[in-house]
Amino acid sequence: MESLYLATSLMMVDIPGPALDAATRAHLERYRFGGVCLFRKNIQNPAQVRRLVAEIREQLGPQAWIAIDQEGGAVQRVLEFSLAPSPMALGAMGDAKTTEAVGAAVGHTLISLGINWNFAPSMDVNTNPRNPVIGDRSFGSDPKKVARLALAWARGLEGAGVMAAVKHFPGHGDTALDSHLDLPVVNKPLEELECTELYPFRKAVDASIRSVMSAHIRFPALDPQYPATLSEKVLTGYLRKKLGFQGIIVTDALDMKAITQNYSLGESAVKSLQAGADLILSLGKPEVHIIQAAAIQQALQNGSLSAAQ
């Protein structure tokens, strides 16, 4: 059981509805996951969300992460409070103080509900007009502006008591494919990546940002074989060792087709942790969580994933 709970502590899962039914409560109690990511399906009103978060922590413990995607603009799960403007709108204004105030307002909303981790802001530099998924989620096409405003937004959020996660490392701004649907490839030389995609993340590491979310995108200049989420060269070699990042690496959702079309459920869970991720975002039915927990547990038992790591 010890190896199972070590495995499941490395997982964040989703739940099916706005309250814990008996099956979901038993599932959380049995596996003791590291946290739960909330979606619109889990939210009806503020009082209900507070009850749900309290119920989750009854099963997982007070240390559990309760996460959400509350970016502003098109990506907002909580709609019952004042809605935040999109990063693109803030980028058009270009004012760091206003941007920080918006991040703080989002943070105060989330912490009032018991949510302590926000998978935001996006640090993607939106340079491809055919990009189907980033759009107004980006602060702009200038990497320096993106870094300045995204870090201001993150400061506001964290000042309110909610951890930020900058995403999608190494950058989703120059893709013509949506990684929810397929595996994008950004085939740029490293020098160009470092001037554009990687620049904001380097500034985030310099600013001691608390967490980074990986992208399901292949960057041949960094790793010709694996997408960033599954790449030791990207997560450990570049993000940890070259940039010196000391915070938490969380994967983007492993149910996205960029991953599921190319790797099995268990394989993606283990490979992402071997690559250097600290927490996987395991979304789907309970059967998915169980398969991935078993794969991680087996990897811990056979030594292909170290307990020390």
Side-chain angles (χ1 to χ4, degrees):
M1 294 301 292
E2 183 177 349
S3 63
L4 174 62
Y5 293 145
L6 180 55
T8 56
S9 72
L10 307 175
M11 300 175 61
M12 175 172 282
V13 300
D14 59 338
I15 55 175
L20 296 187
D21 57 28
T24 303
R25 185 176 288 106
H27 181 58
L28 296 182
E29 183 179 14
R30 168 71 177 82
Y31 287 94
R32 302 182 192 174
F33 299 104
V36 168
C37 185
L38 300 180
F39 291 88
R40 187 61 198 163
K41 64 185 178 181
N42 306 121
I43 295 167
Q44 294 176 330
N45 58 68
Q48 167 268 324
V49 176
R50 294 184 187 106
R51 286 195 302 271
L52 176 61
V53 169
E55 290 176 354
I56 292 169
R57 289 206 166 101
E58 284 178 9
Q59 305 306 319
L60 300 184
Q63 80 292 340
W65 290 109
I66 310 295
I68 202 163
D69 294 279
Q70 191 79 2
E71 301 176 13
V75 180
Q76 304 194 67
R77 313 301 189 202
V78 179
L79 306 179
E80 288 70 24
F81 293 82
S82 297
L83 300 182
S86 70
M88 180 180 284
L90 293 170
M93 292 181 62
D95 183 68
K97 287 186 178 180
T98 300
T99 302
E100 184 172 347
V102 170
V106 172
H108 288 301
T109 292
L110 297 182
I111 202 67
S112 77
L113 300 173
I115 297 166
N116 57 5
W117 195 357
N118 189 11
F119 294 149
S122 165
M123 277 199 148
D124 303 306
V125 182
N126 196 36
T127 57
N128 190 334
R130 296 181 298 140
N131 195 314
V133 67
I134 298 302
D136 77 344
R137 302 170 68 188
S138 169
F139 289 94
S141 58
D142 176 9
K144 291 183 179 179
K145 175 192 274 190
V146 169
R148 179 171 59 88
L149 295 181
L151 287 174
W153 201 97
R155 279 196 306 273
L157 182 78
E158 293 199 336
V162 179
M163 187 164 70
V166 295
K167 60 187 186 183
H168 306 79
F169 181 80
H172 207 321
D174 192 9
T175 66
L177 294 174
D178 180 351
S179 54
H180 291 85
L181 306 175
D182 207 342
L183 176 61
V185 178
V186 176
N187 203 0
K188 289 181 175 180
L190 181 58
E191 295 79 7
E192 191 173 346
L193 291 173
E194 289 184 330
C195 290
T196 308
E197 279 79 3
L198 291 165
Y199 177 88
F201 292 102
R202 185 166 69 249
K203 291 298 183 182
V205 173
D206 291 345
S208 300
I209 199 73
R210 306 292 180 88
S211 68
V212 171
M213 175 177 278
S214 67
H216 304 330
I217 300 172
R218 189 163 61 85
F219 293 80
L222 295 170
D223 186 337
Q225 183 175 5
Y226 293 111
T229 293
L230 309 184
S231 171
E232 185 176 5
K233 292 178 180 178
V234 173
L235 299 187
T236 298
Y238 197 92
L239 181 55
R240 289 284 189 210
K241 294 182 178 178
K242 183 164 184 177
L243 296 187
F245 179 61
Q246 299 295 314
I248 299 170
I249 300 175
V250 59
T251 72
D252 206 344
L254 293 182
D255 67 334
M256 293 162 61
K257 289 184 179 179
I259 298 297
T260 59
Q261 287 180 345
N262 299 285
Y263 303 91
S264 70
L265 292 172
E267 183 182 21
S268 64
V270 171
K271 279 188 175 294
S272 59
L273 293 168
Q274 289 172 330
D278 300 298
L279 193 73
I280 67 165
L281 193 52
S282 173
L283 303 185
K285 294 181 178 179
E287 292 80 4
V288 172
H289 310 158
I290 293 168
I291 289 169
Q292 294 188 320
I296 298 168
Q297 182 184 23
Q298 183 179 17
L300 287 164
Q301 290 174 340
N302 68 26
S304 58
L305 185 65
S306 74
Q309 179 188 348

